Short mmCIF file of all heavy atoms in Angstrom, two decimals:
data_model
loop_
_atom_site.label_atom_id
_atom_site.label_comp_id
_atom_site.label_asym_id
_atom_site.label_seq_id
_atom_site.Cartn_x
_atom_site.Cartn_y
_atom_site.Cartn_z
N ALA A 36 -1.10 -33.44 -30.03
CA ALA A 36 -1.89 -34.26 -30.94
C ALA A 36 -2.08 -35.64 -30.32
O ALA A 36 -1.19 -36.17 -29.68
CB ALA A 36 -1.20 -34.37 -32.28
N ALA A 37 -3.24 -36.20 -30.48
CA ALA A 37 -3.52 -37.54 -30.00
C ALA A 37 -2.80 -38.55 -30.85
O ALA A 37 -2.68 -38.39 -32.07
CB ALA A 37 -5.01 -37.80 -30.02
N GLY A 38 -2.30 -39.60 -30.25
CA GLY A 38 -1.60 -40.63 -30.98
C GLY A 38 -2.31 -41.95 -30.99
O GLY A 38 -3.45 -42.06 -30.54
N GLY A 39 -1.61 -42.96 -31.45
CA GLY A 39 -2.17 -44.28 -31.53
C GLY A 39 -2.62 -44.84 -30.20
O GLY A 39 -3.64 -45.50 -30.10
N ALA A 40 -1.88 -44.55 -29.13
CA ALA A 40 -2.28 -45.02 -27.82
C ALA A 40 -3.63 -44.47 -27.41
O ALA A 40 -4.44 -45.19 -26.79
CB ALA A 40 -1.24 -44.67 -26.78
N ALA A 41 -3.90 -43.20 -27.78
CA ALA A 41 -5.20 -42.63 -27.43
C ALA A 41 -6.33 -43.30 -28.22
O ALA A 41 -7.43 -43.48 -27.70
CB ALA A 41 -5.18 -41.12 -27.72
N VAL A 42 -6.06 -43.68 -29.47
CA VAL A 42 -7.08 -44.39 -30.25
C VAL A 42 -7.34 -45.77 -29.61
O VAL A 42 -8.47 -46.18 -29.45
CB VAL A 42 -6.64 -44.56 -31.71
CG1 VAL A 42 -7.62 -45.44 -32.51
CG2 VAL A 42 -6.51 -43.17 -32.38
N LEU A 43 -6.28 -46.47 -29.23
CA LEU A 43 -6.45 -47.79 -28.59
C LEU A 43 -7.23 -47.69 -27.29
O LEU A 43 -7.98 -48.59 -26.94
CB LEU A 43 -5.08 -48.43 -28.36
CG LEU A 43 -4.35 -48.89 -29.58
CD1 LEU A 43 -2.94 -49.37 -29.20
CD2 LEU A 43 -5.10 -49.97 -30.34
N ALA A 44 -7.06 -46.58 -26.57
CA ALA A 44 -7.76 -46.40 -25.29
C ALA A 44 -9.13 -45.73 -25.48
O ALA A 44 -9.80 -45.42 -24.53
CB ALA A 44 -6.90 -45.51 -24.37
N ALA A 45 -9.56 -45.54 -26.73
CA ALA A 45 -10.84 -44.94 -27.09
C ALA A 45 -10.95 -43.49 -26.60
O ALA A 45 -12.03 -42.99 -26.33
CB ALA A 45 -12.02 -45.78 -26.57
N ARG A 46 -9.82 -42.80 -26.50
CA ARG A 46 -9.79 -41.39 -26.13
C ARG A 46 -9.68 -40.49 -27.34
O ARG A 46 -9.73 -39.28 -27.25
CB ARG A 46 -8.67 -41.08 -25.14
CG ARG A 46 -8.82 -41.72 -23.80
CD ARG A 46 -7.78 -41.21 -22.81
NE ARG A 46 -6.49 -40.96 -23.39
CZ ARG A 46 -5.45 -41.80 -23.34
NH1 ARG A 46 -5.55 -42.95 -22.70
NH2 ARG A 46 -4.29 -41.50 -23.93
N ALA A 47 -9.42 -41.11 -28.51
CA ALA A 47 -9.29 -40.39 -29.78
C ALA A 47 -9.86 -41.26 -30.86
O ALA A 47 -10.02 -42.48 -30.69
CB ALA A 47 -7.82 -40.04 -30.07
N ARG A 48 -10.20 -40.65 -31.99
CA ARG A 48 -10.76 -41.39 -33.10
C ARG A 48 -9.95 -41.16 -34.38
O ARG A 48 -9.27 -40.16 -34.49
CB ARG A 48 -12.21 -40.94 -33.36
CG ARG A 48 -13.12 -41.20 -32.20
CD ARG A 48 -14.53 -40.66 -32.42
NE ARG A 48 -14.48 -39.23 -32.67
CZ ARG A 48 -15.35 -38.57 -33.44
NH1 ARG A 48 -16.30 -39.20 -34.05
NH2 ARG A 48 -15.25 -37.27 -33.61
N VAL A 49 -10.04 -42.09 -35.30
CA VAL A 49 -9.49 -41.94 -36.61
C VAL A 49 -10.62 -41.67 -37.56
O VAL A 49 -11.58 -42.46 -37.65
CB VAL A 49 -8.72 -43.22 -37.07
CG1 VAL A 49 -8.14 -43.03 -38.46
CG2 VAL A 49 -7.66 -43.59 -36.05
N LEU A 50 -10.57 -40.52 -38.26
CA LEU A 50 -11.65 -40.17 -39.17
C LEU A 50 -11.15 -40.16 -40.60
O LEU A 50 -10.02 -39.75 -40.84
CB LEU A 50 -12.19 -38.77 -38.81
CG LEU A 50 -12.65 -38.58 -37.37
CD1 LEU A 50 -13.10 -37.10 -37.18
CD2 LEU A 50 -13.79 -39.52 -37.03
N ASP A 51 -12.01 -40.57 -41.55
CA ASP A 51 -11.62 -40.49 -42.94
C ASP A 51 -11.94 -39.08 -43.45
O ASP A 51 -12.46 -38.22 -42.72
CB ASP A 51 -12.26 -41.59 -43.79
CG ASP A 51 -13.76 -41.42 -43.97
OD1 ASP A 51 -14.34 -40.41 -43.57
OD2 ASP A 51 -14.35 -42.38 -44.53
N ARG A 52 -11.63 -38.83 -44.69
CA ARG A 52 -11.81 -37.49 -45.27
C ARG A 52 -13.24 -37.00 -45.19
O ARG A 52 -13.50 -35.83 -45.04
CB ARG A 52 -11.35 -37.53 -46.75
CG ARG A 52 -11.33 -36.15 -47.37
CD ARG A 52 -10.84 -36.21 -48.82
NE ARG A 52 -9.47 -36.60 -48.94
CZ ARG A 52 -8.43 -35.76 -49.00
NH1 ARG A 52 -8.65 -34.48 -48.89
NH2 ARG A 52 -7.22 -36.22 -49.12
N GLY A 53 -14.19 -37.95 -45.20
CA GLY A 53 -15.63 -37.59 -45.11
C GLY A 53 -16.10 -37.45 -43.66
O GLY A 53 -17.28 -37.20 -43.45
N GLY A 54 -15.21 -37.62 -42.71
CA GLY A 54 -15.57 -37.48 -41.30
C GLY A 54 -16.12 -38.74 -40.66
O GLY A 54 -16.55 -38.73 -39.51
N ARG A 55 -16.07 -39.86 -41.38
CA ARG A 55 -16.54 -41.13 -40.84
C ARG A 55 -15.51 -41.71 -39.90
O ARG A 55 -14.31 -41.66 -40.19
CB ARG A 55 -16.86 -42.10 -41.99
CG ARG A 55 -18.11 -41.71 -42.76
CD ARG A 55 -18.37 -42.68 -43.92
NE ARG A 55 -17.30 -42.65 -44.92
CZ ARG A 55 -17.24 -41.80 -45.95
NH1 ARG A 55 -18.17 -40.92 -46.16
NH2 ARG A 55 -16.23 -41.86 -46.79
N ASP A 56 -15.94 -42.24 -38.79
CA ASP A 56 -15.05 -42.86 -37.80
C ASP A 56 -14.61 -44.22 -38.29
O ASP A 56 -15.40 -45.13 -38.44
CB ASP A 56 -15.81 -42.99 -36.47
CG ASP A 56 -14.92 -43.46 -35.32
OD1 ASP A 56 -13.83 -43.99 -35.56
OD2 ASP A 56 -15.33 -43.28 -34.17
N VAL A 57 -13.33 -44.35 -38.55
CA VAL A 57 -12.75 -45.62 -39.03
C VAL A 57 -11.78 -46.17 -37.98
O VAL A 57 -10.93 -47.01 -38.30
CB VAL A 57 -12.05 -45.44 -40.40
CG1 VAL A 57 -13.07 -45.10 -41.48
CG2 VAL A 57 -10.96 -44.35 -40.34
N SER A 58 -11.95 -45.76 -36.73
CA SER A 58 -11.08 -46.22 -35.65
C SER A 58 -11.08 -47.72 -35.52
O SER A 58 -10.03 -48.35 -35.36
CB SER A 58 -11.52 -45.59 -34.32
OG SER A 58 -11.53 -44.18 -34.42
N ALA A 59 -12.26 -48.34 -35.58
CA ALA A 59 -12.35 -49.79 -35.40
C ALA A 59 -11.55 -50.52 -36.46
O ALA A 59 -10.90 -51.51 -36.20
CB ALA A 59 -13.82 -50.22 -35.44
N ALA A 60 -11.57 -50.02 -37.71
CA ALA A 60 -10.80 -50.65 -38.77
C ALA A 60 -9.29 -50.50 -38.52
O ALA A 60 -8.53 -51.46 -38.75
CB ALA A 60 -11.16 -50.02 -40.15
N PHE A 61 -8.85 -49.35 -38.03
CA PHE A 61 -7.41 -49.18 -37.72
C PHE A 61 -7.00 -50.12 -36.59
O PHE A 61 -5.95 -50.74 -36.66
CB PHE A 61 -7.13 -47.74 -37.35
CG PHE A 61 -6.70 -46.89 -38.53
CD1 PHE A 61 -7.62 -46.50 -39.47
CD2 PHE A 61 -5.39 -46.49 -38.67
CE1 PHE A 61 -7.24 -45.72 -40.56
CE2 PHE A 61 -4.99 -45.72 -39.77
CZ PHE A 61 -5.93 -45.35 -40.71
N VAL A 62 -7.83 -50.22 -35.58
CA VAL A 62 -7.48 -51.08 -34.42
C VAL A 62 -7.50 -52.53 -34.88
O VAL A 62 -6.61 -53.32 -34.51
CB VAL A 62 -8.43 -50.83 -33.22
CG1 VAL A 62 -8.22 -51.87 -32.15
CG2 VAL A 62 -8.23 -49.42 -32.69
N ALA A 63 -8.48 -52.92 -35.68
CA ALA A 63 -8.54 -54.30 -36.16
C ALA A 63 -7.30 -54.63 -37.01
O ALA A 63 -6.76 -55.73 -36.93
CB ALA A 63 -9.82 -54.53 -36.99
N GLY A 64 -6.85 -53.66 -37.82
CA GLY A 64 -5.67 -53.89 -38.65
C GLY A 64 -4.41 -54.04 -37.78
O GLY A 64 -3.57 -54.89 -38.05
N ALA A 65 -4.31 -53.26 -36.74
CA ALA A 65 -3.17 -53.35 -35.84
C ALA A 65 -3.20 -54.69 -35.10
O ALA A 65 -2.17 -55.36 -34.96
CB ALA A 65 -3.20 -52.21 -34.80
N ASP A 66 -4.37 -55.11 -34.67
CA ASP A 66 -4.53 -56.43 -34.00
C ASP A 66 -4.15 -57.56 -34.93
O ASP A 66 -3.45 -58.50 -34.53
CB ASP A 66 -5.95 -56.63 -33.48
CG ASP A 66 -6.29 -55.78 -32.27
OD1 ASP A 66 -5.37 -55.30 -31.59
OD2 ASP A 66 -7.49 -55.62 -31.99
N ALA A 67 -4.59 -57.47 -36.19
CA ALA A 67 -4.30 -58.54 -37.16
C ALA A 67 -2.77 -58.58 -37.46
O ALA A 67 -2.19 -59.65 -37.54
CB ALA A 67 -5.07 -58.32 -38.45
N ALA A 68 -2.15 -57.41 -37.61
CA ALA A 68 -0.71 -57.35 -37.84
C ALA A 68 0.07 -57.93 -36.67
O ALA A 68 1.02 -58.69 -36.87
CB ALA A 68 -0.27 -55.93 -38.12
N LEU A 69 -0.34 -57.61 -35.45
CA LEU A 69 0.34 -58.14 -34.27
C LEU A 69 0.16 -59.66 -34.18
O LEU A 69 1.12 -60.37 -33.91
CB LEU A 69 -0.22 -57.48 -33.01
CG LEU A 69 0.35 -57.97 -31.68
CD1 LEU A 69 1.87 -57.76 -31.63
CD2 LEU A 69 -0.34 -57.26 -30.53
N ALA A 70 -1.05 -60.15 -34.45
CA ALA A 70 -1.28 -61.61 -34.39
C ALA A 70 -0.42 -62.31 -35.42
O ALA A 70 0.18 -63.37 -35.14
CB ALA A 70 -2.75 -61.89 -34.63
N LEU A 71 -0.33 -61.76 -36.61
CA LEU A 71 0.48 -62.36 -37.68
C LEU A 71 1.95 -62.37 -37.30
O LEU A 71 2.65 -63.38 -37.47
CB LEU A 71 0.27 -61.59 -38.99
CG LEU A 71 0.88 -62.15 -40.25
CD1 LEU A 71 0.29 -63.54 -40.55
CD2 LEU A 71 0.63 -61.22 -41.41
N ALA A 72 2.47 -61.26 -36.77
CA ALA A 72 3.85 -61.20 -36.35
C ALA A 72 4.14 -62.21 -35.24
O ALA A 72 5.16 -62.90 -35.28
CB ALA A 72 4.17 -59.78 -35.86
N ARG A 73 3.25 -62.30 -34.28
CA ARG A 73 3.43 -63.32 -33.19
C ARG A 73 3.39 -64.75 -33.73
O ARG A 73 4.19 -65.57 -33.34
CB ARG A 73 2.36 -63.13 -32.14
CG ARG A 73 2.63 -61.91 -31.26
CD ARG A 73 1.58 -61.78 -30.20
NE ARG A 73 1.96 -60.74 -29.25
CZ ARG A 73 1.13 -60.11 -28.47
NH1 ARG A 73 -0.16 -60.40 -28.50
NH2 ARG A 73 1.54 -59.18 -27.65
N ARG A 74 2.47 -65.02 -34.63
CA ARG A 74 2.31 -66.36 -35.17
C ARG A 74 3.59 -66.80 -35.91
O ARG A 74 3.96 -67.95 -35.88
CB ARG A 74 1.12 -66.42 -36.13
CG ARG A 74 0.84 -67.83 -36.67
CD ARG A 74 -0.43 -67.89 -37.46
NE ARG A 74 -0.77 -66.53 -37.85
CZ ARG A 74 -1.97 -66.13 -38.20
NH1 ARG A 74 -2.97 -66.96 -38.27
NH2 ARG A 74 -2.24 -64.85 -38.52
N HIS A 75 4.25 -65.85 -36.55
CA HIS A 75 5.46 -66.16 -37.32
C HIS A 75 6.75 -65.90 -36.55
O HIS A 75 7.83 -66.02 -37.11
CB HIS A 75 5.46 -65.41 -38.63
CG HIS A 75 4.40 -65.91 -39.57
ND1 HIS A 75 4.53 -67.07 -40.31
CD2 HIS A 75 3.17 -65.43 -39.84
CE1 HIS A 75 3.41 -67.26 -41.01
NE2 HIS A 75 2.58 -66.28 -40.75
N GLY A 76 6.63 -65.54 -35.29
CA GLY A 76 7.81 -65.33 -34.44
C GLY A 76 8.66 -64.12 -34.82
O GLY A 76 9.86 -64.12 -34.57
N ALA A 77 8.01 -63.11 -35.38
CA ALA A 77 8.77 -61.92 -35.78
C ALA A 77 9.42 -61.26 -34.55
O ALA A 77 8.82 -61.19 -33.48
CB ALA A 77 7.86 -60.92 -36.47
N ARG A 78 10.64 -60.84 -34.69
CA ARG A 78 11.34 -60.17 -33.60
C ARG A 78 11.62 -58.72 -33.90
O ARG A 78 11.94 -57.95 -33.04
CB ARG A 78 12.65 -60.91 -33.30
CG ARG A 78 12.37 -62.34 -32.76
CD ARG A 78 13.67 -63.06 -32.43
NE ARG A 78 14.55 -63.15 -33.56
CZ ARG A 78 15.86 -62.92 -33.52
NH1 ARG A 78 16.43 -62.59 -32.40
NH2 ARG A 78 16.60 -62.99 -34.59
N ILE A 79 11.53 -58.31 -35.18
CA ILE A 79 11.79 -56.96 -35.63
C ILE A 79 10.69 -56.54 -36.57
O ILE A 79 10.25 -57.31 -37.41
CB ILE A 79 13.15 -56.88 -36.33
CG1 ILE A 79 14.28 -57.24 -35.39
CG2 ILE A 79 13.39 -55.49 -36.95
CD1 ILE A 79 15.63 -57.36 -36.07
N ALA A 80 10.28 -55.29 -36.46
CA ALA A 80 9.31 -54.71 -37.41
C ALA A 80 9.91 -53.44 -37.99
O ALA A 80 10.50 -52.63 -37.28
CB ALA A 80 8.00 -54.40 -36.70
N VAL A 81 9.76 -53.25 -39.28
CA VAL A 81 10.19 -52.04 -39.95
C VAL A 81 8.93 -51.23 -40.22
O VAL A 81 8.06 -51.63 -40.97
CB VAL A 81 10.92 -52.34 -41.28
CG1 VAL A 81 11.33 -51.05 -41.98
CG2 VAL A 81 12.15 -53.22 -41.01
N LEU A 82 8.82 -50.07 -39.55
CA LEU A 82 7.61 -49.26 -39.63
C LEU A 82 7.89 -48.00 -40.45
O LEU A 82 8.99 -47.45 -40.43
CB LEU A 82 7.15 -48.89 -38.22
CG LEU A 82 6.91 -50.08 -37.30
CD1 LEU A 82 6.55 -49.58 -35.89
CD2 LEU A 82 5.87 -51.01 -37.86
N LYS A 83 6.90 -47.52 -41.17
CA LYS A 83 7.02 -46.37 -42.06
C LYS A 83 6.81 -45.07 -41.27
O LYS A 83 5.76 -44.81 -40.75
CB LYS A 83 6.01 -46.47 -43.19
CG LYS A 83 5.90 -45.28 -44.08
CD LYS A 83 7.08 -45.26 -45.03
CE LYS A 83 6.85 -44.18 -46.06
NZ LYS A 83 7.76 -43.08 -45.95
N GLN A 84 7.87 -44.25 -41.21
CA GLN A 84 7.77 -42.97 -40.54
C GLN A 84 6.73 -42.11 -41.20
O GLN A 84 6.57 -42.16 -42.43
CB GLN A 84 9.13 -42.25 -40.56
CG GLN A 84 9.19 -41.03 -39.68
CD GLN A 84 8.85 -41.32 -38.22
OE1 GLN A 84 7.71 -41.45 -37.83
NE2 GLN A 84 9.88 -41.46 -37.41
N ALA A 85 6.01 -41.34 -40.44
CA ALA A 85 4.94 -40.45 -40.88
C ALA A 85 3.67 -41.15 -41.30
O ALA A 85 2.74 -40.52 -41.76
CB ALA A 85 5.43 -39.50 -42.01
N SER A 86 3.63 -42.47 -41.13
CA SER A 86 2.40 -43.20 -41.42
C SER A 86 1.39 -42.92 -40.32
O SER A 86 1.74 -42.79 -39.15
CB SER A 86 2.74 -44.71 -41.40
OG SER A 86 1.56 -45.44 -41.26
N PRO A 87 0.12 -42.79 -40.66
CA PRO A 87 -0.87 -42.58 -39.62
C PRO A 87 -0.92 -43.71 -38.61
O PRO A 87 -1.29 -43.55 -37.45
CB PRO A 87 -2.21 -42.53 -40.40
CG PRO A 87 -1.83 -42.21 -41.78
CD PRO A 87 -0.47 -42.79 -41.99
N SER A 88 -0.52 -44.93 -39.05
CA SER A 88 -0.56 -46.09 -38.18
C SER A 88 0.76 -46.39 -37.51
O SER A 88 0.76 -46.92 -36.39
CB SER A 88 -0.96 -47.32 -38.98
OG SER A 88 -2.20 -47.12 -39.61
N CYS A 89 1.86 -46.07 -38.17
CA CYS A 89 3.15 -46.61 -37.71
C CYS A 89 4.20 -45.55 -37.36
O CYS A 89 5.27 -45.91 -36.90
CB CYS A 89 3.76 -47.53 -38.77
SG CYS A 89 2.68 -48.87 -39.23
N GLY A 90 3.95 -44.31 -37.60
CA GLY A 90 4.95 -43.28 -37.30
C GLY A 90 5.40 -43.34 -35.85
O GLY A 90 4.57 -43.46 -34.97
N SER A 91 6.69 -43.24 -35.62
CA SER A 91 7.20 -43.32 -34.25
C SER A 91 7.52 -41.96 -33.67
O SER A 91 7.58 -41.79 -32.45
CB SER A 91 8.45 -44.24 -34.18
OG SER A 91 9.48 -43.68 -34.98
N THR A 92 7.75 -40.97 -34.52
CA THR A 92 8.02 -39.62 -34.01
C THR A 92 7.23 -38.55 -34.75
O THR A 92 7.06 -37.44 -34.24
CB THR A 92 9.52 -39.26 -34.13
OG1 THR A 92 9.90 -39.32 -35.50
CG2 THR A 92 10.40 -40.17 -33.30
N VAL A 93 6.70 -38.88 -35.94
CA VAL A 93 5.96 -37.93 -36.75
C VAL A 93 4.77 -38.64 -37.38
O VAL A 93 4.89 -39.77 -37.88
CB VAL A 93 6.87 -37.35 -37.89
CG1 VAL A 93 6.06 -36.39 -38.76
CG2 VAL A 93 8.08 -36.64 -37.33
N VAL A 94 3.62 -37.98 -37.37
CA VAL A 94 2.40 -38.50 -37.97
C VAL A 94 1.72 -37.39 -38.76
O VAL A 94 2.01 -36.21 -38.56
CB VAL A 94 1.42 -39.10 -36.93
CG1 VAL A 94 2.01 -40.32 -36.27
CG2 VAL A 94 1.02 -38.06 -35.91
N HIS A 95 0.79 -37.73 -39.62
CA HIS A 95 -0.01 -36.71 -40.30
C HIS A 95 -0.93 -36.03 -39.31
O HIS A 95 -1.37 -36.65 -38.34
CB HIS A 95 -0.81 -37.36 -41.43
CG HIS A 95 0.01 -37.77 -42.60
ND1 HIS A 95 0.35 -36.87 -43.59
CD2 HIS A 95 0.62 -38.92 -42.91
CE1 HIS A 95 1.13 -37.48 -44.46
NE2 HIS A 95 1.31 -38.73 -44.07
N ASP A 96 -1.22 -34.76 -39.55
CA ASP A 96 -2.00 -33.98 -38.59
C ASP A 96 -3.52 -34.28 -38.65
O ASP A 96 -4.27 -33.78 -37.82
CB ASP A 96 -1.75 -32.50 -38.73
CG ASP A 96 -2.35 -31.88 -39.99
OD1 ASP A 96 -2.89 -32.63 -40.86
OD2 ASP A 96 -2.28 -30.65 -40.14
N GLY A 97 -3.94 -35.03 -39.60
CA GLY A 97 -5.36 -35.39 -39.72
C GLY A 97 -6.17 -34.44 -40.57
O GLY A 97 -7.35 -34.61 -40.75
N GLY A 98 -5.52 -33.42 -41.10
CA GLY A 98 -6.22 -32.45 -41.91
C GLY A 98 -6.26 -32.73 -43.39
O GLY A 98 -6.79 -31.95 -44.17
N PHE A 99 -5.67 -33.83 -43.84
CA PHE A 99 -5.66 -34.24 -45.23
C PHE A 99 -4.96 -33.24 -46.14
O PHE A 99 -5.28 -33.13 -47.32
CB PHE A 99 -7.07 -34.59 -45.73
CG PHE A 99 -7.68 -35.75 -44.99
CD1 PHE A 99 -8.55 -35.51 -43.96
CD2 PHE A 99 -7.33 -37.05 -45.29
CE1 PHE A 99 -9.10 -36.55 -43.25
CE2 PHE A 99 -7.87 -38.11 -44.59
CZ PHE A 99 -8.76 -37.88 -43.57
N ALA A 100 -4.04 -32.45 -45.59
CA ALA A 100 -3.28 -31.50 -46.41
C ALA A 100 -1.80 -31.87 -46.46
O ALA A 100 -1.01 -31.09 -46.98
CB ALA A 100 -3.43 -30.09 -45.84
N GLY A 101 -1.44 -33.03 -45.92
CA GLY A 101 -0.05 -33.49 -45.96
C GLY A 101 0.82 -32.94 -44.85
O GLY A 101 2.02 -33.19 -44.87
N ARG A 102 0.25 -32.17 -43.94
CA ARG A 102 1.06 -31.65 -42.84
C ARG A 102 1.35 -32.72 -41.80
O ARG A 102 0.50 -33.57 -41.51
CB ARG A 102 0.37 -30.46 -42.18
CG ARG A 102 0.32 -29.24 -43.06
CD ARG A 102 -0.28 -28.05 -42.30
NE ARG A 102 -1.66 -28.28 -41.91
CZ ARG A 102 -2.73 -28.02 -42.64
NH1 ARG A 102 -2.59 -27.54 -43.86
NH2 ARG A 102 -3.92 -28.25 -42.18
N LYS A 103 2.54 -32.65 -41.25
CA LYS A 103 2.95 -33.64 -40.22
C LYS A 103 3.19 -32.94 -38.90
O LYS A 103 3.55 -31.77 -38.86
CB LYS A 103 4.18 -34.39 -40.68
CG LYS A 103 3.90 -35.17 -41.95
CD LYS A 103 5.15 -35.83 -42.48
CE LYS A 103 4.79 -36.59 -43.72
NZ LYS A 103 5.36 -36.01 -44.91
N VAL A 104 2.94 -33.68 -37.82
CA VAL A 104 3.14 -33.16 -36.48
C VAL A 104 3.86 -34.20 -35.64
O VAL A 104 3.81 -35.40 -35.96
CB VAL A 104 1.75 -32.81 -35.82
CG1 VAL A 104 1.08 -31.68 -36.52
CG2 VAL A 104 0.87 -34.04 -35.73
N PRO A 105 4.53 -33.79 -34.57
CA PRO A 105 5.15 -34.78 -33.70
C PRO A 105 4.07 -35.71 -33.11
O PRO A 105 2.98 -35.27 -32.77
CB PRO A 105 5.79 -33.93 -32.60
CG PRO A 105 5.90 -32.55 -33.17
CD PRO A 105 4.77 -32.42 -34.13
N GLY A 106 4.40 -36.99 -33.02
CA GLY A 106 3.50 -37.94 -32.43
C GLY A 106 3.81 -39.34 -32.85
O GLY A 106 4.69 -39.59 -33.68
N GLU A 107 3.08 -40.27 -32.25
CA GLU A 107 3.25 -41.71 -32.56
C GLU A 107 1.95 -42.23 -33.15
O GLU A 107 0.86 -41.91 -32.67
CB GLU A 107 3.56 -42.50 -31.30
CG GLU A 107 4.90 -42.14 -30.68
CD GLU A 107 5.18 -42.95 -29.46
OE1 GLU A 107 4.30 -43.67 -28.95
OE2 GLU A 107 6.31 -42.83 -28.94
N GLY A 108 2.08 -43.06 -34.17
CA GLY A 108 0.91 -43.67 -34.80
C GLY A 108 0.44 -44.89 -34.10
O GLY A 108 0.97 -45.32 -33.08
#
């Protein structure tokens, strides 16, 4: 399964339930979160496992049925 790194490298896309490409919104959100963390000197982040954006070992499979697969968000 493609992960977050593939989306950042434009080798994969994030699609909503209707099939619309929302990759740019996900990347913009990640950029904004990183900028905010840097501005405030954050040294630790608590990320939600199985999140499409933040999962570190498990993410949703993209089928909107709640199934999870190994991967990084």
Side-chain angles (χ1 to χ4, degrees):
V42 174
L43 291 173
R46 293 189 324 261
R48 298 176 300 149
V49 180
L50 305 177
D51 70 6
R52 188 179 294 268
R55 290 178 296 273
D56 187 342
V57 294
S58 304
F61 268 73
V62 172
D66 287 341
L69 178 59
L71 188 61
R73 285 181 171 159
R74 184 175 18 202
H75 291 282
R78 296 182 302 136
I79 297 172
V81 178
L82 305 176
K83 173 76 172 112
Q84 190 58 280
S86 162
S88 302
C89 304
S91 62
T92 60
V93 178
V94 294
H95 287 275
D96 71 353
F99 297 98
R102 289 185 298 272
K103 297 175 180 111
V104 295
E107 294 180 353

